[in-house]
Amino acid sequence: MRIDTLEILRCPFCGGRLELVESIFHRRTAAEIGDGVLACECCTFPVVDGIPVMHLQANANDARAHVEDGRPDFALRAMVGLERPEDAERFEAAAQSETSTFRDIVESLGPGFEGGYFLYRFSDPTFVVAQAVVGAVAGAVLGGAAAGANRRAIDVCGGSGHLTRSLLEVSSPAPVLADLYFAKLWLARRFTAPGCEPVCCDGNGALPFARGAFGYAMCSDAFMFIWTKRPFIGELCRLVDGPQTPGTVLVTHTHNQLVWSPSHGNPLTPKGYANLFETRPVRTFGEAGLFRDVVAGGPLDLSRVDDAATLDTDAALTLIATPDARVFAPHPMTVDAAPRGVFRVNPLYQASTDGTTMRLRLKFPDVDYEYEYGACRQYLPEETTIDVAALKRLEAGGAIDELSDLIRRRVIIDLPRHYY
Ligand SMILES: [Zn+2]
């Protein structure tokens, strides 16, 4: 972790500042803390492999004891949840190899790790809507010279950082990624959102940050799994409560209690969600309308006002609380001219080639994926072809022109380096 992150980090229990305990085992440089113990007036918390662990669950206590014993390697094992030595050694071998991919490390974490459909995340319908909304909202409130004084973003319950990646260019300093699952944060920092500042914490309690530390706070595809919804929204609002103007809170893809959906969670009704924001104005959008905008290639129209009937019949909702009127407008969707990582063929396609033409056929990993994410058929064609020479030029850093339509349709996607 960066030393200057201590400026915004606070104990979730006493609200006090944290400092590194210099009298016991630690590894640090002038700018970063690798391993050590942080202390406030009430608690101590470990820093494990550069990630502060700001909760008191059993694994965190074990990790802290290992750090105090001068065994940061055992602390890392405790936090990634590998207890048997052979499992831990498999992870460590994968982690220490520079050629390991995101997929290799997920596999080394074993079937107990919720890897799920991570490989297909960048083109699933939930993600493409969230990515468009995040790009529009964060771009409007954080990007450019017209932005307010605080341009830092936080992604709460951001998992392995697929959406945090979208914040890397607009957040300054680098975005914070907060999640309870240490292994996901570790993967995000290495692969999906390199440069982000990961913090391990529990979204069901007070978030370990100072009031007003951020200009933008978001939670995507996770809020229906948070039981303590009222304090959680209160915390997101506190995090963006700046001295002059409040910042922006965005919740994307939270399920609707009135419409069943797979992995339903504990959702509220549209009215119930709006009620959580109390005195802060919030605008609620049905995801279906936003999805139609994305499939059409934009613009993403956040000037729309969805009526109660539209909201009540949509399976997923987006909530935006911001005083910044620039958000509630149509936002053009453009294909980036250069990838953040590397352009590659979407792993949902089976490919065959005669050397000149690559033939692609859409193939879902299983029926469950198709059931939950089959709406991707609205932009992913069943079959298509790519000129092999054009693909090679693109992969070598050439212009996107020839293949921009396939990029827009997500047949070719911009993936992190060493993703699979
Ligand atoms: Zn404390």
Side-chain angles (χ1 to χ4, degrees):
M1 66 177 286
R2 294 164 51 138
I3 299 272
D4 57 16
T5 298
L6 293 173
E7 294 300 315
I8 59 164
L9 205 62
R10 297 290 183 273
C11 170
F13 308 107
C14 72
R17 285 176 168 265
L18 285 301
E19 51 184 56
L20 180 67
V21 182
E22 301 270 1
S23 59
I24 56 177
F25 175 85
H26 61 278
R27 293 194 287 201
R28 64 167 289 179
T29 64
E32 307 230 332
I33 301 170
D35 303 278
V37 172
L38 303 177
C40 60
E41 290 183 11
C42 79
C43 297
T44 52
F45 302 94
V47 180
V48 179
D49 201 11
I51 302 176
V53 180
M54 302 302 295
H55 60 77
L56 300 178
Q57 297 192 1
N59 59 349
N61 286 328
D62 293 347
R64 183 182 43 76
H66 289 310
V67 172
E68 288 173 354
D69 288 345
R71 291 304 304 258
D73 50 340
F74 286 178
L76 180 59
R77 288 183 180 192
M79 287 314 302
V80 295
L82 298 173
E83 311 213 324
R84 296 191 311 169
E86 59 268 38
D87 294 337
E89 282 158 19
R90 195 180 57 237
F91 166 75
E92 284 162 3
Q96 281 156 20
S97 166
E98 283 184 15
T99 58
S100 287
T101 62
F102 185 107
R103 182 186 215 167
D104 292 335
I105 291 181
V106 167
E107 286 172 357
S108 81
L109 288 165
F113 180 70
E114 188 219 333
Y117 298 125
F118 79 88
L119 194 57
Y120 314 108
R121 184 79 179 132
F122 284 110
S123 67
D124 80 39
T126 304
F127 180 83
V128 301
V129 173
Q131 186 185 37
V133 172
V134 168
V137 177
V141 303
L142 299 177
N150 189 343
R151 291 192 49 220
R152 192 166 205 179
I154 181 167
D155 183 2
V156 184
C157 306
S160 44
H162 289 77
L163 271 178
T164 319
R165 185 174 178 79
S166 306
L167 298 170
L168 291 173
E169 288 101 24
V170 289
S171 175
S172 176
V176 169
L177 168 58
D179 202 277
L180 181 59
Y181 295 96
F182 185 94
K184 293 184 181 182
L185 296 167
W186 192 97
L187 283 161
R189 184 186 55 186
R190 175 154 167 179
F191 296 101
T192 29
C196 78
E197 183 74 338
V199 174
C200 187
C201 60
D202 183 359
N204 280 298
L207 296 172
F209 305 100
R211 178 177 293 273
F214 303 92
Y216 168 99
M218 74 174 191
C219 174
S220 183
D221 201 2
F223 188 45
M224 58 275 185
F225 303 118
I226 296 282
W227 179 249
T228 52
K229 290 184 177 59
R230 181 180 173 185
F232 184 85
I233 292 296
E235 281 294 275
L236 294 188
C237 293
R238 184 181 65 81
L239 262 42
V240 301
D241 184 16
Q244 278 96 37
T245 48
T248 296
V249 171
L250 171 65
V251 176
T252 77
H253 196 81
T254 188
H255 289 156
N256 182 354
Q257 188 182 96
L258 304 174
V259 184
W260 185 85
S261 53
S263 56
H264 202 47
N266 297 293
L268 302 182
T269 63
K271 270 190 186 156
Y273 283 123
N275 183 49
L276 296 170
F277 287 80
E278 298 187 317
T279 54
R280 267 175 84 98
V282 59
R283 280 180 56 176
T284 308
F285 299 83
E287 196 167 286
L290 303 175
F291 182 65
R292 278 194 299 275
D293 289 353
V294 172
V295 171
L300 182 78
D301 188 5
L302 297 180
S303 74
R304 60 159 46 84
V305 178
D306 287 339
D307 60 21
T310 302
L311 298 177
D312 287 352
T313 52
D314 204 313
L317 304 164
T318 289
L319 317 167
I320 305 176
T322 181
D324 192 332
R326 292 171 300 174
V327 167
F328 301 114
H331 297 269
M333 289 179 57
T334 50
V335 173
D336 288 333
R340 286 191 184 89
V342 283
F343 282 124
R344 293 182 70 181
V345 172
N346 187 325
L348 282 172
Y349 283 93
Q350 278 194 322
S352 60
T353 177
D354 60 8
T356 307
T357 303
M358 184 181 283
R359 295 190 175 282
L360 299 175
R361 197 165 63 82
L362 188 61
K363 186 168 187 303
F364 293 120
D366 55 39
V367 291
D368 288 342
Y369 183 90
E370 184 168 9
Y371 183 67
E372 189 161 358
Y373 300 113
C376 67
R377 282 205 165 97
Q378 292 188 42
Y379 45 89
L380 295 177
E382 289 294 323
E383 293 188 44
T384 190
T385 58
I386 303 180
D387 178 60
V388 170
L391 182 61
K392 282 190 176 150
R393 282 194 292 277
L394 182 73
E395 288 172 342
I400 63 167
D401 304 353
E402 295 168 275
L403 298 171
S404 60
D405 191 53
L406 290 176
I407 295 169
R408 190 181 62 74
R409 297 197 64 172
R410 294 180 173 79
V411 174
I412 295 171
I413 43 182
D414 175 2
L415 292 176
R417 290 176 194 283
H418 306 293
Y419 191 57
Y420 76 94

